[in-house]
Amino acid sequence: MNFTDNAVDTARKHYGASVIQAFCGDVKVFIAEDISDKKDLGAVCSLANKRKDLKFIFIPYEIYEEKLNEIIASIDGKCLLCSECTETTCFDGVQVLVIDFLGSSPWVYEYCACAYLGGLKPSMHKVKELAARDIPVALRSGTYAKGACAEFVNSEKCKIVHSGSGLFKWLAVLERDAAPEDRPSKTRRGSFKYNMAVFGVKMLSCIPFRAIYVLSDCVCPVFYHLVRYRRGIVHRNITEAFPEKGPAEIRKMERNFYRFFTDMALECCKLATMSEESIRRHMVFRNTETVNSLLGQGKSVAIYLGHYGNWEWVSSLPLWLDKGAASAQIYHKLSNGDMNELMMRIRERMGAVCVDMHKTARYVARQNAGNKVCAIGFIADQAPRMRDAHHYLDFLNHDVPVLTGTEKIIKHYGFEAFYLDVRKIRRGYYEAVFVKLHDEPRMLPDFELTDLYFMHLEQTIRRQPELYLWSHKRFRNARGKNKDASTGILTN
C-alpha cells in the first residue's frame, strides 16, 4: 500500500470511484466507517454475517495488513480489498468491499443507504456530510460529541448501539420505517402515557419467573371471580366448542384458561427485557432445518399460526432462522395508540418486523420485487368482516367464515406453507414444531390450504384447550349455533 504525505491530494482523491460503482451498481449499501477497534469490528461483522442479503463497504480507521486480515477473517461471506479490484472485476456473490487506501470518504456516501461511524469521537465533516444527505447513522455507545456533532447525534437520524445485535435491530426498524404506510400514523413514544406504560412493563419484566407465576396465581382469582373479565364470552365459546363436555368439565376448562391467560399476560411483559439466550430456552422451535433449507434455496415461507399458546413469544423466531432472510409478523393494529406502539416495540426486539394486516399485500409485493427471501407469520384464525367472507368451514363445532388472504398470497407468490404447532411443555416453557402443509400449495384447489390450516389448528386446540384465546368472539358470524352432540349436525 502506498501512503502519501500530501494531505490535500489525499483529500481530493476518490476511493476507487469506478470500482465502487461496479460493486454497488444500482443498490444502496451499508457503509461502516472508522472501524477503529474490536468493538467496532465485532458490531459491523456481526451485522454483515446476519444480513447476507445486503452489501457492505468497510472503511477502517487505520490501514495495515493485520487489521485488514482481521476484517476478512471475521466475515463469513465473500470479501474483497478495493486495491485488488478494477471496474471489470466480477462482484457476483461479493458481500463486503474493504477500502484499503486513503481517500475522500464523503464521495462514497452517494451509494450509502445507512452508515455506522466507529470510534468515540466522530469526525465533524463526516457527520455534516451524512446529515446533509439525510442518511441514518449508528454510533457506538460512549460516543462523545459537541456542537453541531452533538445536535446530530441527538437527532432522530442517529442511533447509539451497544453491540452487533443492537445494530441488527436498528437496521430492521429502519427497513420497516422506510415504508411509512406500514407504520402507525402517529408515534406515541414521546407521550406521558406511553412512557408510563413502558416503565410499568419494564418493572414487571424485571421480576424473576418464579415470582411472576406467584403474582399470576394472585391475579387470576381477581380476574375470574371479581372482575369476571369476559366470563360470559369464555363460557359460551367453550360450551359451544365442546358440547360433549359436562358442566364440571366446562368450569375446569374455564379456570385453566384464566390461569393460563394471566400467565401469558405477564410472560409478554417479560419479553420486554428477556435476553436472546433466555427466550431460546423458554420458546423452542423444532424442524427449523427444513425451513432454513428452503430459505437458503431462495424460497420464501409463510407460517400459519393461531391465537394459541404464547403467540407473542413466537416473535423470537428470527433467532432460529437464516439471518439472510427477512422475518415479519402480520399484526392487527390496536385501537389504543400507546398500547399499539408498546406492543410493536416488544414484538420487534428479536429482529422481526411488524406489518399492519391491511398493508400485507404491499409489503409482500415489495419484498418480492426486491428478490428478498422472507419468512412471514400469519395469525389467520380471526373472524373476517362479513363482506370479506368468501369461504366457510367447520371449526370447533361451528360453521364459520374464515380469512383466505394468506392462501392467496402463498399461491400468488409461490411461498412454501407451514403450520406452527405449539404446545406447552410446562409453565413458562413452550415448543413449536414446523409442519409443512403441502409440497405444492399452488396445485391445491381454492381454499383447501386454508382448510388444512384450520384442521391442524383444531387438533392443536383439542390437545390443550386452555391455551386458546377463548375471550374473544371468534364465532360471532357463524352460520347456525352449534352441533347436536349426538349427531354432529349444525342446528339453527
Side-chain angles (χ1 to χ4, degrees):
M1 293 167 226
N2 296 321
F3 294 87
T4 177
D5 293 329
N6 190 321
V8 175
D9 289 343
T10 300
R12 288 175 178 171
K13 178 183 177 183
H14 287 168
Y15 281 139
S18 58
V19 172
I20 291 175
Q21 187 174 7
F23 171 71
C24 298
D26 297 327
V27 178
K28 296 285 187 178
V29 302
F30 188 104
I31 294 179
E33 190 168 5
D34 290 349
I35 304 172
S36 60
D37 56 22
K38 290 186 180 296
K39 186 170 184 178
D40 289 332
L41 182 62
V44 296
C45 289
S46 172
L47 177 64
N49 292 334
K50 288 181 178 179
R51 293 299 306 270
K52 293 185 172 62
D53 56 318
L54 300 180
K55 287 187 174 183
F56 293 80
I57 292 179
F58 284 4
I59 307 176
Y61 181 72
E62 297 177 307
I63 301 170
Y64 52 91
E65 188 172 355
E66 184 180 347
K67 170 69 73 174
L68 297 176
N69 290 337
E70 186 177 8
I71 293 174
I72 294 172
S74 301
I75 300 296
D76 294 340
K78 192 173 181 180
C79 179
L80 293 179
L81 300 179
C82 190
S83 64
E84 298 174 350
C85 303
T86 67
E87 60 271 19
T88 60
T89 300
C90 178
F91 289 103
D92 291 345
V94 178
Q95 186 192 10
V96 180
L97 183 67
V98 181
I99 307 297
D100 57 336
F101 50 82
L102 298 179
S104 176
S105 64
W107 174 82
V108 186
Y109 298 153
E110 179 181 338
Y111 297 95
C112 183
C114 47
Y116 174 88
L117 285 183
L120 297 178
K121 293 184 179 181
S123 167
M124 175 68 76
H125 76 275
K126 292 175 183 176
V127 166
K128 286 185 175 181
E129 184 71 26
L130 289 164
R133 293 177 181 268
D134 203 31
I135 294 173
V137 181
L139 301 170
R140 63 182 282 178
S141 58
T143 296
Y144 171 78
K146 60 182 180 180
C149 265
E151 184 178 343
F152 178 68
V153 167
N154 295 322
S155 71
E156 292 184 355
K157 282 291 181 181
C158 209
K159 175 70 174 178
I160 301 295
V161 296
H162 300 274
S163 63
S165 177
L167 193 58
F168 175 79
K169 293 171 185 175
W170 170 73
L171 183 57
V173 172
L174 277 183
E175 291 175 330
R176 182 199 68 202
D177 290 348
E181 67 274 10
D182 288 340
R183 294 291 296 142
S185 58
K186 180 181 179 182
T187 182
R188 305 289 181 130
R189 298 197 178 190
S191 73
F192 174 76
K193 288 183 180 179
Y194 173 79
N195 291 329
M196 288 301 295
V198 171
F199 176 76
V201 167
K202 287 197 171 182
M203 289 292 289
L204 285 171
S205 71
C206 294
I207 301 175
F209 269 105
R210 288 187 179 180
I212 278 285
Y213 294 122
V214 171
L215 178 60
S216 177
D217 289 339
C218 296
V219 172
C220 179
V222 176
F223 262 75
Y224 185 69
H225 295 290
L226 298 181
V227 178
R228 298 180 66 84
Y229 175 74
R230 299 193 174 188
R231 280 278 299 272
I233 296 174
V234 171
H235 178 77
R236 182 170 63 251
N237 284 342
I238 294 178
T239 301
E240 292 182 357
F242 301 96
E244 72 280 4
K245 302 290 185 183
E249 291 178 289
I250 295 295
R251 284 195 298 271
K252 181 179 179 181
M253 290 171 67
E254 288 179 29
R255 289 194 296 269
N256 289 340
F257 162 72
Y258 278 96
R259 183 171 186 258
F260 168 72
F261 184 78
T262 52
D263 278 1
M264 194 198 71
L266 293 170
E267 288 171 357
C268 181
C269 293
K270 287 289 292 181
L271 186 59
T273 56
M274 284 179 77
S275 67
E276 293 182 1
E277 293 76 13
S278 178
I279 190 66
R280 283 177 67 97
R281 289 196 305 271
H282 287 267
M283 187 76 203
V284 177
F285 293 88
R286 304 293 185 192
N287 197 27
T288 54
E289 62 276 3
T290 302
V291 178
N292 282 325
S293 175
L294 292 168
L295 293 173
Q297 296 170 34
K299 298 179 180 180
S300 291
V301 172
I303 305 161
Y304 279 104
L305 58 152
H307 287 91
Y308 184 86
N310 194 329
W311 63 87
E312 297 294 353
W313 280 7
V314 175
S315 62
S316 64
L317 179 58
L319 302 178
W320 298 76
L321 296 184
D322 188 336
K323 302 305 181 184
S327 296
Q329 51 197 340
I330 309 304
Y331 79 101
H332 187 283
K333 184 178 178 181
L334 301 178
S335 57
N336 184 294
D338 294 312
M339 286 304 300
N340 185 68
E341 189 70 18
L342 176 59
M343 290 306 300
M344 287 185 64
R345 177 174 176 175
I346 292 174
R347 289 166 176 166
E348 293 182 339
R349 282 195 67 238
M350 300 300 169
V353 176
C354 286
V355 179
D356 188 326
M357 64 180 297
H358 300 295
K359 311 296 182 183
T360 304
R362 192 175 304 171
Y363 174 83
V364 175
R366 189 166 55 246
Q367 294 294 111
N368 186 69
N371 294 318
K372 294 182 178 179
V373 178
C374 56
I376 306 178
F378 297 84
I379 298 182
D381 62 339
Q382 296 171 325
R385 295 172 296 185
M386 287 307 295
R387 66 174 179 267
D388 298 327
H390 305 301
H391 179 54
Y392 282 75
L393 53 75
D394 184 13
F395 176 60
L396 289 173
N397 208 51
H398 294 79
D399 189 25
V400 292
V402 294
L403 295 170
T404 58
T406 303
E407 177 175 338
K408 292 177 182 177
I409 288 173
I410 290 171
K411 290 184 175 180
H412 182 78
Y413 291 101
F415 279 31
E416 299 290 333
F418 284 84
Y419 169 68
L420 195 64
D421 186 11
V422 180
R423 66 182 67 211
K424 181 179 175 181
I425 306 303
R426 64 180 190 275
R427 213 171 187 183
Y429 290 85
Y430 302 86
E431 181 181 87
V433 182
F434 283 97
V435 179
K436 196 169 188 181
L437 292 179
H438 199 272
D439 290 331
E440 294 289 342
R442 282 179 165 177
M443 304 302 293
L444 292 173
D446 287 347
F447 309 130
E448 189 168 325
L449 188 64
T450 301
D451 291 347
L452 283 171
Y453 156 59
F454 276 96
M455 181 193 72
H456 281 281
L457 179 59
E458 180 163 342
Q459 290 174 354
T460 300
I461 293 170
R462 290 187 179 278
R463 185 177 62 224
Q464 290 177 290
E466 68 275 8
L467 304 188
Y468 192 56
L469 187 62
W470 297 106
S471 56
H472 287 62
K473 298 179 180 179
R474 299 287 176 214
F475 313 120
R476 63 179 179 269
N477 295 327
R479 295 190 300 199
K481 292 183 179 179
N482 57 290
K483 292 180 181 178
D484 182 272
S486 59
T487 65
I489 300 175
L490 281 168
T491 59
N492 294 323

